[in-house]
Amino acid sequence: MVRVRFAPSPTGHLHVGALRTALFNWLFARHHHGTFILRIEDTDLARSSEEMSRSILEALRWVGLDWDEGPIYQSQRFALYRERARQLVEKGLAYYCFCSPEEIEQRRQEAQARGEHWKYDRRCLNLSQEEKEKLLAEGRPAAIRFLVPEGVIKYEDLVHGPISVDNRNIEDFVLLRSDGLPTYHLSVVVDDIDTRITHVIRGDDHISNTPKQILLYRAFAAPVPRFAHLPLILGPDRKKLSKRHGDTSVLSFRDKGYLPLAFFNFMAQLSWSPGPEERIYSIEEMVRDFSLERISKGSPVFDLAKLEWLNSRLINELPVNELISQLRPWLERERLWREEFLKDKKDWFEKLVILIRSRCRTLVDLKEMLRPFISDKINYDPEAVKKYLSDNRLEQLLPILKKDFQALENFTAAETERVLRERAEKEGVKAAALIHPLRVLLVGKSVSPGIFDVLEFMGKEKTLARIDNFSEARKILQAHGGGVS
Ligand code: GLU
């Protein structure tokens, strides 16, 4: 039975690299009907915080990852780690080390000066029983080091293939620090053993830790899990993805208006391809087809253009009622949501969303494009006003056009188009000379869906009121020092 875990350290928000690890563990567990365990590695008490743990859980939930066991907090298991380290000492597989960091540093420098490669020189392994007892009785701070046996560690990484490391290259690493806190190697192996983890799937940055951990499994006489190390994610400049490339926290993508499923697809497709086509795959499809064997060894590049593409694709593919439920919290937050969008105005609202969505890459775009239709307030883009409302002829033309519109019984796209074109011809101006200013007055910007659709969706009353805003809108020009020509 597959049992995997995701083990973030709550020293910051969940970032995209860690999320990809979580996602592959989750897909693997779900594919095999196994168990996905969440473990919070908060042994570094100074750098970990509850707030960050909460933020990590929030990010996982947003993407749609659920866990079957946990969260297990390592900070609640300190006594256990100490006990296990002592057990290894009793079995002669680990030993107390009384060397202070300063002493070790001095000997390291001496070795370096002699041109030797330094690893811990086992000074404390060779202490006599009396010496040890004396130091312990004196209360000298003691760490516990693992006694690395001779031999070669070999294992088959599920992504990278066979890996082998000569134990001579591994120093007697610390399991328990002299302050009683466990090191990462100890806590991670104790927990993986206790939770009966079968596969450790994690980032490449842990590859060098694996031989040490395999030694520990053996020392604890526990079965060694399989390992799969995921390749590092790179930024577009092919350097390790980091904050330099922009905010890499998962929740920042939620806040920019990406849909969880699009983000899930984007992240899963870093190192794995769910199928031959570039498209949105459903969670069910990804769970069904996931396999560790198909993870590529090469480092994937974090390409935001692809995320945007997937997101706009999903925005356009989702059943409109689902898109509206995802959009709803965004509108609610800005008090733009009204219950009638699900009742009396349902049809109108759904059609409006369908009209607009092809121009949107994110929920933020969608919200902003909807705003002029559902809010009484309108913000005019100064550039658009300057470009299209400066023409003084509009002072005469707009009231005439308004009258034409007012007289219309059926305020439809076709009818408004007809009267606008007739009016343009009569006045000897191009239709565009009316269309552009009208667009700015109606939506505040120089871009929108087709103007006649906009008119129909805006409705007669709002359209007439917005045409009346002409002088008001032009005041922006003075405020921005643009002047009206
Ligand atoms: N806490 C470690 C990290 O955040 C993960 C440890 C592991 O997966 O073994 O990198």
Side-chain angles (χ1 to χ4, degrees), residues 5 7-9 39 41 184 188 192 200-202 205-206 213:
R5 72 341 186 249
S9 307
R39 182 168 79 223
E41 304 214 319
Y184 155 68
V188 93
D192 285 347
V200 171
I201 305 167
R202 59 186 175 189
D205 47 332
H206 288 292
Q213 294 175 9

Side-chain angles (χ1 to χ4, degrees), residues 244-425:
R244 284 182 301 113
H245 297 104
D247 196 340
T248 55
S249 95
V250 171
L251 291 177
S252 77
F253 291 91
R254 175 194 65 184
D255 299 343
K256 284 182 200 132
Y258 291 101
L259 297 167
L261 182 60
F263 195 63
F264 193 122
N265 266 265
F266 173 65
M267 292 303 307
Q269 290 175 36
L270 291 172
S271 302
W272 176 62
S273 142
E277 296 155 74
E278 291 247 311
R279 66 168 171 93
I280 295 280
Y281 289 84
S282 70
I283 304 279
E284 293 72 27
E285 285 174 305
M286 288 189 271
V287 166
R288 187 191 65 209
D289 296 334
F290 186 75
S291 85
L292 285 176
E293 286 72 35
R294 293 214 347 256
I295 287 181
S296 52
K297 276 188 218 175
S299 289
V301 172
F302 194 81
D303 174 11
L304 279 177
K306 177 157 183 202
L307 173 58
E308 280 194 356
W309 181 82
L310 285 167
N311 206 54
S312 66
R313 207 169 153 150
L314 183 58
I315 283 181
N316 285 283
E317 280 171 5
L318 269 187
V320 68
N321 58 336
E322 279 180 39
L323 182 59
I324 290 171
S325 2
Q326 305 238 28
L327 180 69
R328 181 176 172 161
W330 288 87
L331 297 180
E332 280 174 342
R333 240 171 285 145
E334 300 200 24
R335 297 174 187 276
L336 291 171
W337 174 259
R338 295 205 298 278
E339 278 311 306
E340 60 186 4
F341 297 158
L342 295 179
K343 294 181 185 136
D344 300 353
K345 290 196 131 184
K346 184 169 188 283
D347 195 44
W348 172 83
F349 191 63
E350 286 185 353
K351 285 194 179 127
L352 177 59
V353 169
I354 290 169
L355 173 72
I356 280 173
R357 66 177 172 180
S358 63
R359 294 159 185 271
C360 299
R361 286 165 306 175
T362 63
L363 291 175
V364 174
D365 291 349
L366 196 53
K367 176 195 70 172
E368 286 309 321
M369 282 216 159
L370 279 172
R371 186 189 293 277
F373 294 89
I374 56 178
S375 167
D376 288 329
K377 277 210 298 247
I378 178 147
N379 299 322
Y380 292 101
D381 166 15
E383 284 307 310
V385 172
K386 200 164 149 189
K387 192 159 176 200
Y388 294 118
L389 297 186
S390 296
D391 186 349
N392 283 335
R393 277 179 309 170
L394 291 169
E395 277 171 34
Q396 278 84 51
L397 287 172
L398 285 172
I400 304 175
L401 184 66
K402 184 185 160 190
K403 272 211 185 96
D404 293 336
F405 283 161
Q406 209 156 16
L408 276 179
E409 290 247 330
N410 293 324
F411 203 75
T412 60
E415 282 293 277
T416 51
E417 175 161 15
R418 183 181 59 75
V419 299
L420 183 140
R421 291 197 189 281
E422 282 172 12
R423 178 53 61 198
E425 207 171 314

